[in-house]
Amino acid sequence: MRLALFDTQSYERVAFEAANAAFGHELTWFEPRLIAETAALAAGFPAVCAFVNDRLDRAALTTLEDGGTRLVALRSAGFNHVDLDAAAALGLAVVRVPAYSPHAVAEHAVALLLSVNRRIHRAHSRVREGNFQLDGFVGFDLVGKTVGVIGTGRIGKVFARIMCGFGCRVLAHDVAPDADLIALGVVYTSLDALYRESDILSLHVPLTPDTHHLIDEAVLRVMKRGVVLVNTSRGALVDTRALIDALKRGHLGAAGLDVYEEEEGIFFRDLSDQVLQDDVLARLLTFPNVLITAHQGFLTHEALANIAHTTLDSVRAFEAGEPLTHQVSAAG
Ligand code: NAI
């Protein structure tokens, strides 16, 4: 089947070309993000493939449908960037990759936590400049600390297990508690108790209207002084302005962020020759105790291979008229 892939990077092309040897689809690569203004590029393609910072709103989906597209294949787990009601009304099927490597994202969350706690990001720059002083690098032992995990689905579960391995006390909150984690000693509790007791807080819930700005000013005030916040899920789970205020007050110990609420149009781009126009992000980047990565939690060889295989297999199933195992719809 002819598949138009948007917002593509070189590492994805390698993974998709390799996986496509087993499928034989006709792949066409587009660098621009898939948004209303670029959707016409997909005219004549029955299937399009989109990533996390594409914006599949009603206008974009209408243009896709006008151009003959019938399938939107998301090469991501999250689907908060798709207007599913509009897709259903237009008769567009939407599929995603629900799980490709929860380990990739969970391990990246751990990497962020270890780095900000021990200031590895600063130590690297300092040593390269010939400064071997240690001032400002005092961290804390993880063993015995309380880690709050919000969302214990695929990724949060792996993260919680790793934290148990570090000897941490793990508190969790999820609408559906996980029996394996309970058996491991993880304690499910209310959000309020989790906020009050955690030394480290890691977010693994999807972005929905319920979870938008889950971490806001009120929550940040309730949390322990010195708490380390890790967000590898979606930027808008956190009210970034409130986060900046908490950092300025010295209330937050550190933050490790792989996602940012206004990352669209910034992350996955080389903007090093330009003046950064986003003042909130620019302010965040000034804090010595904040480490930001540009949405790379998923970026392992294993995850890329799984993403490519699952996406191309969904396209095959669609072409064959088979049921779509990974379809997402407004009803859930
Ligand atoms: P999942 O669907 O397996 O787990 C999500 C968990 O959150 C579920 O257990 C669900 O019951 C729980 N949940 C949902 N709404 C809730 C609420 N309002 N309150 C409490 N619990 C709630 O999802 P998975 O695979 O673990 O991914 C989590 C998120 O990670 C994704 O939604 C995506 O936004 C993000 N992600 C980030 C990546 C990165 O590269 N940084 C890559 C992949 C996913």
Side-chain angles (χ1 to χ4, degrees), residues 100 105 153-155 174-175 204-206 232-234 258 295 298:
Y100 38 86
V105 186
R154 296 175 189 89
I155 296 169
D174 194 300
V175 287
H204 300 287
V205 278
T232 55
S233 190
R234 284 292 179 270
D258 189 45
H295 208 136
F298 70 99

